[in-house]
Amino acid sequence: MTTTRETVQKSLSTVDFPASKEDLVAFARNNGVDQGTVDALRALPLADYDNVGEVLRSVPLDKADEEGQSDADKAKEDRQHVRPGLAEHQRETPANPIAEELGENRKGG
């Protein structure tokens, strides 16, 4: 349910302001705006918005796009994300470098 700053600006460029949240969502639906942007507009607080700038301050924007993250960076972050409440044996952990080098952990004898 996120979108980009540019998508919101482009999608709402012809809206007659001031507009309510419901007006913005209806306009987006009726004008073929992508589903992610429609969902982001649905997440807006109930209010009347005077311009696109006010909408942009309230709409959930894609964090990766705002920070200039590449698709590879986003994928890496998703792989490393640990959900709270997971038991340790359910978490993804990096492989032991010794095990990688030897093929398995071996005990010296």
Side-chain angles (χ1 to χ4, degrees):
M1 136 172 83
T2 61
T3 187
T4 65
R5 181 175 303 277
E6 292 78 25
T7 304
V8 171
Q9 288 173 330
K10 183 179 173 186
S11 300
L12 301 180
S13 63
T14 59
V15 170
D16 291 328
F17 285 99
S20 68
K21 170 189 171 177
E22 294 85 10
D23 294 336
L24 295 172
V25 171
F27 178 86
R29 277 194 200 146
N30 295 332
N31 288 288
V33 174
D34 67 280
Q35 190 60 43
T37 302
V38 171
D39 291 344
L41 292 172
R42 276 194 203 129
L44 286 169
L46 285 174
D48 287 332
Y49 296 89
D50 291 329
N51 54 46
V52 175
E54 286 186 3
V55 175
L56 288 171
R57 284 192 291 275
S58 300
V59 74
L61 297 173
D62 183 10
K63 178 183 144 197
D65 184 65
E66 291 291 303
E67 295 175 358
Q69 243 183 356
S70 70
D71 288 339
D73 292 336
K74 289 189 274 186
K76 181 179 178 183
E77 187 175 294
D78 288 343
R79 285 191 306 272
Q80 292 178 344
H81 178 71
V82 176
R83 296 186 313 258
L86 276 182
E88 188 171 330
H89 72 277
Q90 293 175 315
R91 295 183 182 169
E92 292 181 34
T93 56
N96 183 327
I98 295 172
E100 285 181 357
E101 186 175 325
L102 297 175
E104 63 181 85
N105 269 342
R106 300 180 186 189
K107 294 184 180 182

